[in-house]
Amino acid sequence: MILLTGGTGYIGSHTAVEFINEGYDVVLADDLSNSERRVVDRIGQITGKVPAFEELDVCDKAALDRLFRKYHIDAVVHFAGYKAVGESVAEPVKYYRNNLDSTLALLEVMKVHNCRKFIFSSSATVYGENQDVPFTEDSPAGSCTNPYGRTKFFIEQILSDCAKADPELSVVLLRYFNPIGAHESGLIGEKPNGVPNNLMPYITQTAAGIRHHLSVFGNDYDTPDGTGVRDYIHVVDLAQGHLAAYRYLCGAGKGGCHTFNLGTGKGSSVLEIIHAFEEAAGIAIPYEITERRPGDIAECYADVSKAEKILGWKAVHSLKEMCASSWNWQQKSAE
Ligand code: WQD
């Protein structure tokens, strides 16, 4: 059985679908602070199999111990964590306490129950700023621009140290670039609380008339059209990357800590995303150019050759599919 912490969240739920479709048994653990219980049933509707679900705080070691006694857990995919960049700047202790404690609690309980495979939901944000793109897994990491990014970087360091100390422990760090899109069914997707921080949900809410217009945060970057460039990857491709990472860990003698970028290897600007969405949805997106957002970098996109070579994984969905599926989810989730 595979434990997905944060399993009712955006990436977790899509990963649960891919694991179940591949024939694996999963159990989702989530405190529902940033997701909804009905996602469990939605995953059942999509796959024909409702996954086991345990409502718990991943920082609660006693609760984790009960889960590991109830199920035989072969591997953990750790999605649970706070992830709002702006909030992390305002409330750093909340972010360090939650994101690090949940990881440390998992590591302690996993050791007691001899569960030795750990896949971590990391982020390209660990590459920070002032780096030459495309980022490879060997690009310098740690010059993060906010506490959220630093929690990801610190957790990577913790897991690397633990894998060095315990040859039985196998770790994969997956550095996500910019996940967007939704499952084709429109039953699961990104559901930000309040005003979206991220570009795509803001675009889809503008298209739905929930937001008046999009603010484009700066067009004076050193990029082809002056707006920020990111590596947008379909969330289903990202989920498939976790499956590839799990298969890799199941291979012979995979101790140690292995890092992989999960992106497309292609950068797209904010204006390119707006135009791709307008074409996919057939809806004009009103926008205004405003000041840069503090902490933003000009360009961030991946060198994905390592995941392709070692995991045999490559993103396959197009930008049009990412935009169309995002819009489909926005329309369905409003129903
Ligand atoms: C993308 C581009 C903005 C909103 C962050 C985290 C990363 C991950 C994804 C959590 C940038 C521009 C955005 C808007 C805009 N988070 N933008 N108007 O900042 O690349 O990455 O979210 O897992 O770890 O760092 O994503 O979607 O916020 O921004 O112009 O209303 O869109 O300036 O160029 P980002 P984003």
Side-chain angles (χ1 to χ4, degrees):
M1 205 152 200
I2 296 153
L3 168 60
L4 305 183
T5 71
T8 52
Y10 176 41
I11 318 289
S13 56
H14 283 85
T15 303
V17 165
E18 299 308 313
F19 271 83
I20 294 169
N21 285 343
E22 196 71 15
Y24 293 108
D25 286 329
V26 303
V27 50
L28 314 182
D30 206 298
D31 66 2
L32 301 178
S33 62
N34 197 17
S35 59
E36 299 173 324
R37 173 75 177 69
R38 67 178 172 173
V39 167
V40 179
D41 301 318
R42 294 279 179 91
I43 293 168
Q45 275 180 265
I46 293 168
T47 61
K49 183 169 183 172
V50 179
F53 172 72
E54 299 291 339
E55 184 175 353
L56 59 78
D57 175 353
V58 184
C59 297
D60 180 346
K61 277 181 64 177
L64 282 177
D65 190 61
R66 286 193 295 275
L67 184 149
F68 276 76
R69 290 178 191 280
K70 185 174 177 183
Y71 306 96
H72 174 71
I73 306 297
D74 170 58
V76 172
V77 188
H78 184 32
F79 295 104
Y82 297 147
K83 61 161 202 154
V85 170
E87 186 187 44
S88 80
V89 174
E91 299 186 72
V93 172
K94 173 181 174 182
Y95 272 67
Y96 288 121
R97 173 63 71 195
N98 182 67
N99 292 4
L100 272 61
D101 273 4
S102 58
T103 304
L104 294 170
L106 269 173
L107 285 164
E108 290 176 325
V109 174
M110 286 172 69
K111 181 139 182 137
V112 167
H113 294 274
N114 196 32
C115 174
R116 314 315 289 130
K117 296 186 187 76
F118 197 118
I119 296 173
F120 177 57
S121 164
S122 190
S123 169
T125 201
V126 303
Y127 291 118
E129 47 191 3
N130 312 319
Q131 308 286 347
D132 297 330
V133 283
F135 295 142
T136 74
E137 288 82 356
D138 296 325
S139 295
S143 62
C144 311
T145 57
N146 56 73
Y148 155 76
R150 271 187 282 278
T151 66
K152 292 296 187 183
F153 177 67
F154 292 161
I155 292 167
E156 286 195 357
Q157 298 301 299
I158 290 167
L159 291 170
S160 171
D161 288 342
C162 289
K164 284 189 190 112
D166 178 353
E168 295 302 308
L169 179 63
S170 301
V171 173
V172 165
L173 307 175
L174 296 177
R175 290 176 178 169
Y176 306 165
F177 280 72
N178 287 61
I180 61 173
H183 187 267
E184 60 187 3
S185 64
L187 290 171
I188 53 176
E190 188 174 12
K191 203 172 178 80
N193 289 332
V195 179
N197 296 304
N198 294 137
L199 180 63
M200 185 52 81
Y202 206 104
I203 287 177
T204 59
Q205 289 190 13
T206 302
I210 299 167
R211 308 293 165 197
H212 180 264
H213 68 280
L214 171 74
S215 298
V216 174
F217 298 146
N219 67 346
D220 57 351
Y221 286 102
D222 182 14
T223 61
D225 65 19
T227 63
V229 170
R230 297 290 184 275
D231 185 332
Y232 297 91
I233 176 172
H234 197 294
V235 66
V236 173
D237 282 328
L238 196 66
Q240 279 286 330
H242 291 74
L243 206 47
Y246 176 67
R247 288 195 201 99
Y248 175 71
L249 285 184
C250 291
K254 283 294 177 311
C257 185
H258 313 269
T259 305
F260 297 96
N261 287 336
L262 294 188
T264 64
K266 182 182 177 310
S268 300
S269 75
V270 177
L271 294 181
E272 285 173 325
I273 294 295
I274 292 171
H275 298 143
F277 181 87
E278 290 179 327
E279 196 177 308
I283 297 177
I285 297 295
Y287 65 86
E288 274 178 25
I289 306 291
T290 64
E291 288 305 303
R292 294 182 177 192
R293 179 173 62 178
D296 272 359
I297 60 175
E299 287 192 293
C300 173
Y301 58 92
D303 176 316
V304 292
S305 51
K306 184 179 175 188
E308 189 171 350
K309 180 164 170 271
I310 296 180
L311 298 182
W313 170 90
K314 186 173 171 60
V316 296
H317 289 81
S318 66
L319 204 47
K320 185 171 183 181
E321 287 171 306
M322 295 182 218
C323 293
S325 62
S326 295
W327 179 229
N328 183 47
W329 158 247
Q330 176 68 52
Q331 292 174 295
K332 291 257 172 59
S333 59
E335 285 169 2

